Amino acid sequence: MSRDFVYQANRATVVFGAGKRRDAGEWVAKLGKKRAMVLSTPHQAQDAEHLANELGALSAGTFTGAVMHTPVNVTEDAVAALQRAGADCVISFGGGSTTGLGKAIALRTGVPQITIPTTYAGSEVTPILGQTENGRKTTIRDVAILPDVVIYDPELTVGLAKQMTIVSALNALAHAMEGLYAKDRNPISTMMAVESFRSFKASLPGLIEKPGDLDLRAEAQYACWLAGTVLGTVGMALHHKICHTLGGSFDTPHAETHAIMLPYTTAYNAVAVPELLAPIAEIFGAAPGAALHDFSRSLGAPLSLKDIGFEEANLDRAADIAAENPYWNPRPIDRASIRALLQAAWEGVRPET
C-alpha cells in the first residue's frame, strides 16, 4: 500500500465519559466565554432548560426551536435570539437537528460551539452543514462549522427510544461506509471507518436487549465518533446526495432515510469497487449491501421508503433531483440507475451485492 496521502485532523476537543455533561460550564470558561445559549428541539426543551439552569451565571437562556434539515428561516430566528440574549457561545444539546442549528449559527456569527449529542449520528464532529431553503438541501464544508468541544456522555443516551437508537447508529454507519470508497480516502480514514463498523456490530445488538448498559452505550458513542470523524475528513458521494435529496425536497426523516438507503447505495457501489467495501463483507459475513440489509432487519430498522410514508409517485422527481449536479462517486451515476435504486429502496428488496 502506498503511504503517500494527506490527512487533516479534527481540531475539536472530544470528551468521553459518564456524567461529563456536567462539565459544560467549565468548557464555556475554557473557551473564554461568559454567556452560553443552550439549543434544543421542542421535544428536548425541558432538558435544555435544566442544562441552562445548571450553568447558572454562564447561562444566556435557551432556544428550543431546532428542527430537521436546518431550515434557513429557523437559523435566522435563532441568530436573532442569540443577539438579543447577548450570548457569546452556544451549547447544542440533542441530535442532528440541534447540532445542525449550532453549526449554522456558528457559521453566521463566529461564536464557538459546545455540542452534547444524545443520539449516534456523528455530525457533531464534521465541518459540514446541510441546510434547507426553498425545498432544496445544500451542503457547506468549512472549518468554521466544526464544533469546538464535543461531550459524549453515555448516560444521555439511556432514554433514547429504541428506534432512534437504531436509525441514528445506521446513519453514522452510512458515514463510515462512504469513507471506505471516498475519492480522498486515506489509510487513517479507512482504519477508522472499519473500526466504526466493528464497534457498532459489537454494541448495537446488545443495546436492543440491554438498553441501560452504559458500557455498550459508550461503545456505540465511540463508533459514532469514528464514523463522524471519517465523514469530516473525506468527501461525500452517492449515498449522501440521495439522502439530501429525499430529506431536503420531500422532508423525509433524516436518520430513517440514511438507515433505509444504506444497503442500496452500498450495493450500488460494491459493483464498481468490491475490494474497497470488502471489510463490510468480512465483518458481517455476506455481500456488503445484503449484509447491511440483514443487519438492519435484525435490529428492527425500517427497510423501505414506503415504511416511512414516501409515496411511489414521487420516485421519478426524486431521481431527477438526485441525478442533477451529482457528487463524485466511484460508480458512474445516471438517472435510470438512480431511478432503479430508488425503486428497490421503496420496495425494500434485499440487495444481492
Side-chain angles (χ1 to χ4, degrees):
M1 176 187 294
S2 171
R3 294 299 181 188
D4 295 340
F5 65 92
V6 174
Y7 179 74
Q8 180 66 52
N10 186 325
R11 65 174 176 82
T13 298
V14 182
V15 181
F16 290 89
K20 292 296 184 180
R21 67 189 180 279
R22 300 184 184 93
D23 297 339
E26 294 180 19
W27 286 105
V28 172
K30 287 179 180 179
L31 290 171
K33 302 304 174 182
K34 296 181 179 180
R35 291 182 57 79
M37 175 169 280
V38 180
L39 312 175
S40 78
T41 61
H43 176 71
Q44 292 183 298
Q46 187 173 350
D47 293 324
E49 292 286 353
H50 179 73
L51 177 56
N53 289 336
E54 285 188 336
L55 291 173
L58 292 171
S59 173
T62 64
F63 180 89
T64 59
V67 295
M68 284 193 308
H69 308 306
T70 319
V72 169
N73 64 300
V74 173
T75 300
E76 291 170 346
D77 290 344
V79 169
L82 182 91
Q83 293 170 340
R84 286 195 302 270
D88 56 9
C89 71
V90 295
I91 300 177
S92 302
F93 183 94
S97 298
T98 307
T99 297
L101 178 59
K103 289 177 169 184
I105 292 172
L107 182 64
R108 285 163 174 77
T109 67
V111 299
Q113 311 166 65
I114 298 170
T115 304
I116 307 176
T118 59
T119 68
Y120 300 113
S123 60
E124 62 277 354
V125 285
T126 73
I128 301 166
L129 169 64
Q131 54 187 357
T132 305
E133 188 173 24
N134 299 322
R136 293 294 178 100
K137 189 168 187 176
T138 57
T139 60
I140 303 170
R141 181 183 286 262
D142 191 307
V143 68
I145 293 168
L146 189 68
D148 299 85
V149 179
V150 180
I151 301 174
Y152 287 110
D153 186 337
E155 293 178 352
L156 293 175
T157 67
V158 171
L160 189 63
K162 173 183 174 181
Q163 190 73 351
M164 184 51 65
T165 296
I166 294 166
V167 296
S168 67
L170 293 173
N171 180 11
L173 274 185
H175 305 335
M177 184 276 291
E178 290 232 291
L180 291 176
Y181 55 59
K183 185 178 183 180
D184 50 355
R185 67 189 182 279
N186 58 73
I188 308 302
S189 63
T190 297
M191 178 177 63
M192 296 179 80
V194 172
E195 177 72 358
S196 178
F197 271 100
R198 293 192 190 281
S199 291
F200 269 132
K201 184 175 185 292
S203 59
L204 279 181
L207 276 183
I208 306 306
E209 301 297 324
K210 299 183 289 183
D213 190 315
L214 286 183
D215 288 337
L216 290 175
R217 295 227 168 245
E219 185 71 16
Q221 285 188 321
Y222 169 65
C224 159
W225 167 71
L226 288 166
T229 301
V230 169
L231 183 66
T233 58
V234 301
M236 295 179 287
L238 173 66
H239 175 88
H240 283 82
K241 174 65 174 183
I242 288 179
C243 291
H244 291 163
T245 295
L246 296 175
S249 298
F250 301 93
D251 200 33
T252 59
H254 181 85
E256 287 85 346
T257 301
H258 278 272
I260 291 165
M261 294 308 308
L262 176 59
Y264 300 99
T265 53
T266 303
Y268 183 89
N269 282 324
V271 173
V273 286
E275 72 285 359
L276 298 181
L277 290 170
I280 298 176
E282 176 188 343
I283 292 167
F284 291 95
L292 292 175
H293 189 274
D294 294 344
F295 186 56
S296 295
R297 182 186 295 277
S298 73
L299 296 172
L303 298 173
S304 70
L305 291 175
K306 64 182 176 183
D307 286 348
I308 57 172
F310 190 87
E311 297 182 6
E312 188 174 16
N314 286 327
L315 291 176
D316 282 331
R317 180 167 167 247
D320 290 339
I321 297 171
E324 293 175 1
N325 304 313
Y327 301 168
W328 178 90
N329 195 66
R331 178 180 171 184
I333 295 173
D334 61 84
R335 197 267 183 194
S337 295
I338 299 308
R339 179 62 177 81
L341 184 156
L342 287 169
Q343 184 69 42
W346 187 85
E347 295 175 3
V349 178
R350 181 180 186 265
E352 295 182 358
T353 55

